[in-house]
Each structure stands twice: as structure tokens, then as C-alpha cells.
Amino acid sequence: MILVTGATGTVGRQVVTQLSELGAPVRAVTRDPRSARLPAGVDAVRADLADPASLEPHLAGADSAFLVWPFTAPGLAAGPGARLVEVLARHVSRVVYLSAEAAAGRPDSFWATMERLIEASGAQWTFLRPTGFAANTLMWADQIRGHGAVLWPYGAAARSLIHERDIAAVAVAALTDARHVGQKYLLTGPEVITQAEQVEVIGDVIGRAVRWEELAPEEARQQLLAAWGDPGFVDSALATWAGLVAHPEPVTGTVREITGTPARTFRQWAADHAGDFRPLPEAE
Ligand SMILES: NC(=O)c1ccc[n+]([C@@H]2O[C@H](COP(=O)([O-])OP(=O)(O)OC[C@H]3O[C@@H](n4cnc5c(N)ncnc54)[C@H](OP(=O)(O)O)[C@@H]3O)[C@@H](O)[C@H]2O)c1
């Protein structure tokens, strides 16, 4: 039995789907099983990761776990995060943790904190360290649908955006094959592409010209604060994008090495999600 946390999220949902397609028994964790829309045969259970005791009853019979830590505040990782890792390690023998590339260079980040806790837990582990998710560009969907332009800062910031299916495919390999134990995988898409180019590709794929319009960072900060709340996380995202102008994200071949298939391009991702960017049909 494989326990999947964050099972309704960008990567977690793909992990659940791919494991189900392999016929692996899956227990999917969500705060709301009734609205989770998970594949038939998946055991959907209710737990709140901020309250690790709520997960404990669902760990009986689980051999391994895919772990998403959905909170950004560093203090939470040291508190409930530590208790969650302790509860997991008492039940499962292997934890595959969805970390981030940033864990390597930022020891104070919640990703690095969670990695250290898992390393010390006694469980076997694999850390997935992706660069930016291609799915982050869904945050532009309303602007693209609304007025065919994206008003955003740092158009020249260049990322090696990765498709959620590729991260999930590596997660499935790590959950089912002991050869990945003890590995920290830097996972990227196959190419570097600037934010302004991403918008152009989305326009191409949906058959509509979409413009990039540069937004001043301070204005972006106000908008992101309203959307995300956490000022530390907003400032860190803005600093990351600013840094990516001069220093693009790296590109690795790790997805291909592990899955045997090249990582999907941003154009492939956009084609898979074209419906999210097309104008909604007019209400009758
Ligand atoms: N976005 C990127 O570019 C990027 C890059 C590298 C690493 N990462 C990391 O990847 C991880 C996933 O990020 P994401 O933005 O893609 O998340 P996401 O897919 O939006 O998923 C969030 C998931 O967490 C679950 N969740 C949220 N609060 C919960 C709680 N209190 N208890 C139980 N489950 C809870 C949600 O499930 P329910 O709502 O069903 O409960 C949902 O399935 C994060 O740790 C992020 O830092 C992201």
C-alpha cells in the first residue's frame, strides 16, 4: 500500500493516477475525500497534515509514502512537520519527498528542513528536487482568457519548467524501486525558456496572440501579497525571478535517465492544458 499526500494537488494527483494505472494499491490523503475526484479503486482518506495525529489512523498497512508538505512558513516545518515525519517513519519504510531545487542552496527553507528531518527519521528516502513547475503558468490563465496579455514582472527570467507528469513518473519509480533510495534528484524540463517566451508558446498553442507586458516588481509584490498572504514567500519568489534573469535554472537529463523517456517540453505541457487558457464560452 502506498500512501500519497497532497493527492489532489498538481503532482500528487498524477502520482495517484500513475500508481493506479500500474495496479498499485493507493491510499490518497486529502482534507475532503468527497470532492477529491480520484480514480476508481483509490482509497481516499481525510487527514490534515498540520495535525499529524489525524494521519496516524490511515497508516496501517502502508509500506511507503509520497510526501508533500503544503505549508510555506519555515516554523511549521520544525513543529508539525517534525511530528508528521516522526509519525510517518513509525509506519512506513520509505518516504519519497517532493522537495525543490532550492533545498540545495537554502538550508533555512522549509524544503531543506523537511529533508533533514526525513534523513534523521530512520526511513529510507528519496528527495525530488524539481525546478519550477510548468503548472505555475496557470496563474496567468485569467489574464490570458480575459485580455490576451500577461502583466507580470521579469519577462526575461528563464526557467527549465517541468511537467507535473514527469515529476510524478520519477516519484512512482522511487516509490516502487529500491535503487532510488538515498538519492536527491534535481528534476527539470528539457530546455530553458523565459517567462515572455512561455506566454508566446501558450498563445501559439491556443491559436491566439498573447502579449507579455512587463509589470514593475513593487506592483507585483502588492498583487502577490493579496493572493498568497505570506510576505516572506512573496519576497523570496520575486528575488528568485529577479535572479533567473542573469542566472537561468539548470537543465538535467535526470527524468530521461530514470523514466527512459525525455522530459516533456513546455510546449507539450501547454498543449495538455490548452483548455485552461482558452476563453470560456459565452453564457447563454
Ligand atoms: N510550484 C513550483 O514551482 C514548485 C517547485 C518546486 C517545489 N514545489 C513544491 O511542491 C509542493 C507542492 O506544491 P504545489 O503548489 O504544486 O501544491 P498543490 O499541488 O497545490 O497541492 C497542495 C496539496 O496539498 C494538500 N493540502 C494543502 N493543505 C493541506 C492540509 N492542511 N492537510 C492535508 N493536505 C493539504 C491539498 O489537498 P486537499 O486540498 O485535497 O486537502 C493539495 O492536494 C510544495 O511543497 C512546493 O513548495 C513547487
Side-chain angles (χ1 to χ4, degrees):
M1 172 67 72
I2 299 174
L3 183 96
V4 178
T5 62
T8 61
T10 309
V11 178
R13 185 176 287 285
Q14 284 296 325
V15 173
V16 170
T17 302
Q18 293 182 26
L19 285 171
S20 302
E21 285 167 0
L22 286 178
V26 178
R27 190 170 295 153
V29 177
T30 166
R31 288 165 298 173
D32 185 5
R34 276 178 311 171
S35 64
R37 296 178 295 106
L38 294 165
V42 168
D43 179 19
V45 297
R46 182 192 308 274
D48 185 338
L49 298 179
D51 171 19
S54 69
L55 188 65
E56 188 134 26
H58 306 301
L59 283 163
D63 306 299
S64 56
F66 174 72
L67 177 61
V68 172
W69 179 248
F71 314 106
T72 55
L76 276 182
R83 288 198 293 284
L84 176 63
V85 170
E86 185 269 321
V87 165
L88 278 176
R90 237 181 308 121
H91 293 271
V92 303
S93 57
R94 187 179 306 165
V95 176
V96 175
Y97 170 53
L98 177 57
S99 184
E101 184 221 357
R106 288 169 42 196
D108 295 337
S109 63
F110 70 89
W111 299 292
T113 304
M114 292 301 288
E115 287 190 1
R116 283 194 298 272
L117 290 165
I118 296 164
E119 274 177 300
S121 72
Q124 298 178 344
W125 53 262
T126 307
F127 299 149
L128 311 184
R129 291 175 163 180
T131 49
F133 293 0
N136 292 348
T137 62
L138 289 171
M139 67 192 164
W140 299 330
D142 284 347
Q143 294 195 56
I144 291 174
R145 275 199 300 264
H147 51 279
V150 171
L151 187 61
W152 202 254
Y154 302 114
R159 307 205 73 163
S160 50
L161 295 180
I162 181 163
H163 198 307
E164 59 275 7
R165 287 192 190 176
D166 289 329
I167 304 173
V170 174
V172 167
L175 287 162
T176 55
D177 184 340
R179 281 178 297 181
H180 303 291
V181 169
Q183 300 295 323
K184 301 176 183 180
Y185 288 131
L186 174 53
L187 304 177
T188 79
E191 67 200 342
V192 162
I193 175 166
T194 68
Q195 297 204 94
E197 288 165 346
Q198 293 159 30
V199 164
E200 205 179 308
V201 168
I202 294 170
D204 272 2
V205 164
I206 64 171
R208 186 174 176 215
V210 182
R211 289 187 317 284
W212 177 269
E213 291 178 5
E214 191 73 21
L215 179 67
E218 186 45 39
E219 276 182 72
R221 184 169 190 276
Q222 296 311 322
Q223 290 182 16
L224 291 174
L225 273 177
W228 295 351
D230 179 346
F233 199 67
V234 169
D235 289 337
S236 135
L238 284 166
T240 300
W241 296 328
L244 292 172
V245 173
H247 304 286
E249 280 180 333
V251 173
T252 68
T254 312
V255 168
R256 182 205 289 265
E257 285 154 25
I258 293 170
T259 67
T261 307
R264 294 166 172 88
T265 62
F266 182 71
R267 186 171 290 273
Q268 286 172 292
W269 179 89
D272 287 346
H273 292 268
D276 293 318
F277 295 103
R278 290 210 171 95
L280 300 171
E282 295 284 328
E284 301 252 319

